């Protein structure tokens, strides 16, 4: 991340300000910016701002901030620049002056000047014509540094606004990450502050987490604890927090950090699955699905946490929300969890729900696809055979005869598992009804007839020697 020098900002090339030493400025020690290249006098014929030609009357002056050559009219003011280790006032051009003054004011121990700096930068980055200058002259670093040193709610509100605005520019993400912006956001989220500040900060973090490169950084920067803390707040903030957590969990390397911690991520998410807010339920279940795609141990932890906290998942499956995506996400989650051999007893109530849902949700294709997949996964284990054989006719009539190919194939999977774990019971049930559907289904699966012929041929060869 430290190697980025120039970014494209809405079609304009913007050179990033660099600091001496580590680019991460989320520290209490003030940063020092690297000085710009000093343009030689003989390289400048006209003032770079007003384009008036230099002569004996119109003399050349250098801006100490950008290093460019200008006339006295365009470079008349002087500003101290401690960020460049220039404590005495030095010449600054009209183009650099507004942002330079804001960066300089951030070094003051007085709240008045810190607030003026934060407010000015927050307003400047909202202006497409000014944000480039903010980036070039150390505005990013100033926002991160002020977040670290200021305890004022007013200042932090402006800094959260600035971070949120800048997060909307994808090309700035890596530069912000390099300066320590993710840690700055986590710092804001960890403090008790006004609602709007939290909304701005969690919104910025959520946008960052849409970038695969920054999800792990968010976790390593300590985002999990404050994000989980926000999940129990009022609706807007809580929903943004759960959506952010879901994005963080899309990166599988973050799963262990979320599950193996003392911050109670699983209890928090499972509790939200029974929230009164259906959108919250939907997103919480989606986040749990991310974790269920991990290891067997991760799935085991989800199952045991659900079981010990009052069997949350069967409650969701048995509910009747207006938002069908809640049921779909819950069915997807349980189907994923059903592959764990050691947790089948803990999932018995979920299996009961799935057997009922074959009939109650037969018209919902997405739900039915997950339910049929879950039943096929449950069928892998002998402990579920007796129950599934009782529902074999439903599996045949709903899944095997479905117009949806994916549902048909999952129905066949379930039946073949039952044939291997309990052949007599399954064959007896199929002889009453369904044998023809099974054979018809088998014949439609690409490659299966050839595989069966090859397996049979090994035991019944086409050519042999005489005995």
């Amino acid at each position: 991340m430290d190697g980025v020098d120039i970014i494209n900002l809405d079609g304009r090339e913007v050179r990033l300000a660099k600091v001496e030493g580590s680019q991460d400025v989320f520290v209490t020690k003030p940063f020092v910016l690297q000085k710009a290249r000093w343009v030689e006098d003989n390289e400048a014929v006209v003032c770079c701002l007003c384009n008036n030609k230099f002569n004996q009357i119109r003399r050349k002056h250098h801006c100490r901030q950008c290093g460019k050559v200008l006339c006295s009219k365009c470079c008349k003011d002087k500003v101290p620049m401690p960020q460049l280790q220039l404590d005495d006032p030095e010449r600054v051009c009209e183009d650099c002056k507004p942002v330079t003054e804001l960066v300089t004011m951030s070094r003051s121990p007085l709240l008045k000047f810190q607030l003026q700096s934060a407010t000015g930068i927050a307003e400047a980055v909202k202006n497409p014509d000014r944000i480039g200058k903010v980036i070039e002259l150390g505005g990013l670093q100033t926002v991160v540094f002020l977040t670290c040193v200021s305890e004022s709610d007013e200042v932090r509100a402006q800094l959260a606004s600035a971070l949120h605005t800048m997060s909307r520019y994808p090309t700035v993400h890596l530069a912000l990450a390099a300066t320590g912006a993710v840690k700055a956001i986590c710092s804001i989220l960890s403090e008790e502050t006004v609602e709007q500040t939290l909304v701005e900060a969690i919104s910025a973090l959520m946008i960052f987490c849409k970038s695969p490169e920054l999800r792990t950084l968010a976790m390593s920067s300590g985002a999990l604890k404050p994000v989980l803390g926000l999940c129990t707040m009022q609706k807007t903030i809580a929903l943004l927090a759960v959506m952010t957590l879901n994005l963080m969990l899309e990166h599988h390397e973050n799963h262990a950090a979320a599950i193996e911690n003392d911050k109670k991520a699983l209890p928090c998410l499972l509790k939200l699955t029974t929230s009164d807010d259906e959108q919250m339920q939907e997103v919480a279940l989606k986040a749990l699905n991310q974790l269920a795609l991990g290891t067997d141990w991760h799935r085991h932890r989800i199952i045991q946490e659900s079981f010990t906290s009052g069997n949350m998942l069967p409650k969701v499956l048995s509910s009747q929300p207006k938002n069908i995506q809640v049921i779909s996400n819950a069915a997807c989650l349980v189907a994923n969890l059903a592959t764990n051999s050691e947790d089948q007893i803990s999932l018995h109530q979920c299996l009961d729900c799935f057997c009922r849902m074959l009939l109650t949700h037969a018209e919902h294709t997405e739900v039915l696809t997950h339910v049929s997949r879950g039943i096929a996964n449950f069928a892998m284990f002998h402990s579920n055979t007796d129950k599934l054989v009782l529902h074999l006719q439903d599996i045949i009539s709903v899944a095997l005869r479905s117009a949806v190919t994916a549902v048909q194939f999952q129905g066949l999977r379930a039946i073949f598992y039952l044939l291997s774990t309990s052949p007599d019971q399954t064959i007896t049930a199929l002889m009453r009804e369904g044998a023809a559907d099974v054979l018809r289904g088998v014949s439609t699966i690409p490659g299966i007839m050839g595989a069966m012929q090859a397996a049979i041929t090994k035991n019944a060869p086409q050519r042999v020697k005489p005995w």
Side-chain angles (χ1 to χ4, degrees), residues 39 110 118 165 201 216 276 392:
V39 177
L110 298 178
T165 301
T216 300
D276 293 335
L392 188 57

Side-chain angles (χ1 to χ4, degrees), residues 12 25 46 74 116 153 156 177 185 201 204 231 233 295 298 305 308 367 391 396 461 467:
R12 294 175 292 127
V25 297
V46 298
C74 295
Q116 193 172 341
D153 286 344
R156 288 188 156 223
I185 293 171
C231 290
M233 296 191 70
T295 66
H298 294 163
E305 191 64 50
T308 57
V367 175
H391 293 274
I396 293 168
W467 293 353

Side-chain angles (χ1 to χ4, degrees), residues 219 224 228 245 248-249 252-267 269 291 298 301:
M219 192 70 82
L224 182 61
L228 287 173
L245 180 60
M248 291 164 63
L249 295 177
H252 285 189
E253 292 183 8
N254 287 341
H255 289 185
I259 292 177
E260 307 301 332
N261 67 81
D262 59 352
K263 301 174 181 66
K264 303 188 183 302
L266 287 181
L269 285 172
L291 295 172
H298 294 163
R301 288 292 308 276

Side-chain angles (χ1 to χ4, degrees), residues 302-354:
I302 296 171
I303 294 166
Q304 291 306 308
E305 191 64 50
S306 171
F307 187 75
T308 57
S309 59
N311 260 342
M312 300 290 192
L313 296 179
K315 291 178 182 177
V316 180
L317 291 173
S318 301
S319 65
Q320 296 180 317
K322 295 178 181 178
N323 180 4
I324 194 63
Q325 197 62 45
V326 171
I327 296 298
S328 180
N329 287 0
C332 180
L333 174 60
V334 171
N336 291 336
L337 298 175
T339 59
N340 266 36
S341 58
E342 63 181 277
D343 295 297
Q344 293 303 304
I345 293 176
S346 300
L347 289 170
H348 267 184
Q349 288 188 38
C350 290
L351 175 56
D352 290 337
C353 291
F354 269 26

